Amino acid sequence: MTDKKLYLKFVDANVQGTITMYWDAAPETCAALWGALEKPIQWPASHAMFSGPEIMMGLPEEARNFDPKALPPENQTVIPEVGELLWFYQPKNFFKIDPSEFWEIGLFYGVGGRTFGPTGWIPCTYFGRMTEGLDAVAEQCRLIRKEGVKTVEIGRL
């Protein structure tokens, strides 16, 4: 097990949480994301439509330094716990309603989350959990539903 951790910060509100990565349960996914986040990234986070209390962020082109199709399924579930973060890769033309490619990092901030999409249940890899600052981060997540997209930064601690 490693003590490498990430942070997630709402840039405008200066609200931050610490992410403890699941290095034992999702080692290849953790290594890929750790490598991708050598430099912190910023992304407009939006609220999920199908999965309940989840915000979704992409991985920008400049951080896509691994082959997402080569990652094995690790630590997968469709019923995440509060504070858990997921990794999901959507190849081009995966969904009929959204044919674009998407490299997703998601954060479940409340009870009742599920990885359900337009095609039904979608098992995703869970690579970490927010272990510090979740209450303040969750409040910012809830505001996205009312106010719209907010810029989030993710990087190494």
Side-chain angles (χ1 to χ4, degrees):
M1 183 164 171
T2 180
D3 60 355
K4 295 176 182 173
K5 295 182 180 184
L6 302 173
Y7 70 89
L8 182 147
K9 177 170 74 175
F10 279 85
V11 174
D12 292 339
N14 197 27
V15 170
Q16 180 171 311
T18 300
I19 299 160
T20 299
M21 299 177 78
Y22 293 154
W23 286 97
D24 289 339
E28 291 188 46
T29 304
C30 286
L33 292 172
W34 185 260
L37 298 171
E38 182 176 354
K39 294 179 183 173
I41 59 141
Q42 290 190 358
W43 192 268
S46 59
H47 204 280
M49 291 174 43
F50 294 95
S51 56
E54 179 201 7
I55 62 164
M56 301 167 27
M57 302 144 280
L59 198 57
E61 189 75 37
E62 63 272 12
R64 297 177 184 181
N65 60 4
F66 62 92
D67 177 1
K69 296 174 193 160
L71 289 177
E74 297 181 301
N75 200 38
Q76 294 206 335
T77 187
V78 295
I79 313 263
E81 295 181 34
V82 176
E84 283 194 308
L85 286 98
L86 68 76
W87 162 255
F88 174 70
Y89 172 69
Q90 174 182 301
K92 192 167 179 60
N93 297 317
F94 184 78
F95 289 127
K96 181 179 180 181
I97 65 169
D98 183 2
S100 54
E101 180 183 48
F102 193 65
W103 300 51
E104 179 185 349
I105 295 172
L107 167 65
F108 284 88
Y109 65 87
V111 176
R114 67 242 179 240
T115 52
F116 192 83
T119 59
W121 294 101
I122 304 168
C124 293
T125 294
Y126 288 82
F127 70 89
R129 172 183 264 166
M130 188 164 287
T131 52
E132 295 175 33
L134 179 59
D135 290 342
V137 167
E139 181 56 35
Q140 292 300 307
C141 293
R142 283 188 281 280
L143 288 175
I144 289 176
R145 292 187 74 177
K146 297 176 191 174
E147 300 173 0
V149 170
K150 295 189 177 292
T151 302
V152 171
E153 181 176 290
I154 303 174
R156 296 178 181 181
L157 259 183

